[in-house]
């Protein structure tokens, strides 16, 4: 049910956005550039609006946003409920899922760190 609601929300957003880009291209360009300022996307000198602006509200955009939002559904954890089976990458580069590392009745311990 959540995936269907997300599909509807993102689809409507893309259809409205694409329609506005066709009807009001300059206003939408200003809007997208303002969004780029908030995310600091436009601070990269290698990117110009012509490179990434037209990709907004495209089919690729729709599919990417759906993929990200649906993935986030899997990552939600709630107290008293089973842990999410989040995808992880092994040191060997193999993609597995977190719960693949469970063994018998032993607890699974996650250790997060970084090297700089």
């Amino acid at each position: 049910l959540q995936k269907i609601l997300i599909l509807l929300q993102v689809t409507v957003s893309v259809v409205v956005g694409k329609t506005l880009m066709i009807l009001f291209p300059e206003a939408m360009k200003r809007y997208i550039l303002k969004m780029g300022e908030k995310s600091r996307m436009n601070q990269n000198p290698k990117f110009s609006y012509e490179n990434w602006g037209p990709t907004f509200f495209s089919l690729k955009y729709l599919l990417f946003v759906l993929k990200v939002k649906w993935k986030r559904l899997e990552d939600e954890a709630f107290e008293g409920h089973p842990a999410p089976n989040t995808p992880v990458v092994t040191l060997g580069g193999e993609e597995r899922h977190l719960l693949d590392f469970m063994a018998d009745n032993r607890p699974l311990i996650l250790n997060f760190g970084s090297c700089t």
Side-chain angles (χ1 to χ4, degrees), residues 13-54:
S13 171
V14 168
V15 168
V16 169
K18 191 63 159 179
T19 303
L20 291 174
M21 281 184 83
I22 292 167
L23 296 176
F24 309 104
E26 287 305 311
M28 286 303 288
K29 179 178 179 178
R30 285 192 305 273
Y31 172 74
I32 291 171
L33 286 171
K34 197 166 270 234
M35 285 178 18
E37 285 176 18
K38 288 180 183 177
S39 67
R40 298 186 183 148
M41 183 186 237
N42 62 350
Q43 290 181 359
N44 186 337
K46 294 183 180 181
F47 288 109
S48 66
Y49 174 80
E50 288 70 30
N51 290 341
W52 52 267

Side-chain angles (χ1 to χ4, degrees), residues 3-109:
K3 284 188 175 184
I4 292 171
L5 290 174
I6 290 171
L7 173 65
L8 289 173
Q9 175 198 12
V10 173
T11 303
V12 167
S13 171
V14 168
V15 168
V16 169
K18 191 63 159 179
T19 303
L20 291 174
M21 281 184 83
I22 292 167
L23 296 176
F24 309 104
E26 287 305 311
M28 286 303 288
K29 179 178 179 178
R30 285 192 305 273
Y31 172 74
I32 291 171
L33 286 171
K34 197 166 270 234
M35 285 178 18
E37 285 176 18
K38 288 180 183 177
S39 67
R40 298 186 183 148
M41 183 186 237
N42 62 350
Q43 290 181 359
N44 186 337
K46 294 183 180 181
F47 288 109
S48 66
Y49 174 80
E50 288 70 30
N51 290 341
W52 52 267
T55 65
F56 276 75
F57 311 116
S58 65
L59 179 61
K60 267 187 167 178
Y61 174 87
L62 170 78
L63 296 176
F64 176 77
V65 172
L66 284 176
K67 180 180 173 183
V68 168
K69 287 186 175 267
W70 285 349
K71 273 274 197 220
R72 286 186 180 161
L73 283 177
E74 298 169 6
D75 292 341
E76 290 188 59
F78 300 98
E79 187 176 341
H81 290 82
N85 198 11
T86 306
V88 293
V89 179
T90 67
L91 291 175
E94 177 186 355
E95 185 172 316
R96 306 265 306 270
H97 284 84
L98 188 62
L99 298 180
D100 294 343
F101 297 97
M102 294 287 294
D104 301 322
N105 288 333
R106 294 185 359 212
L108 177 64
I109 298 173

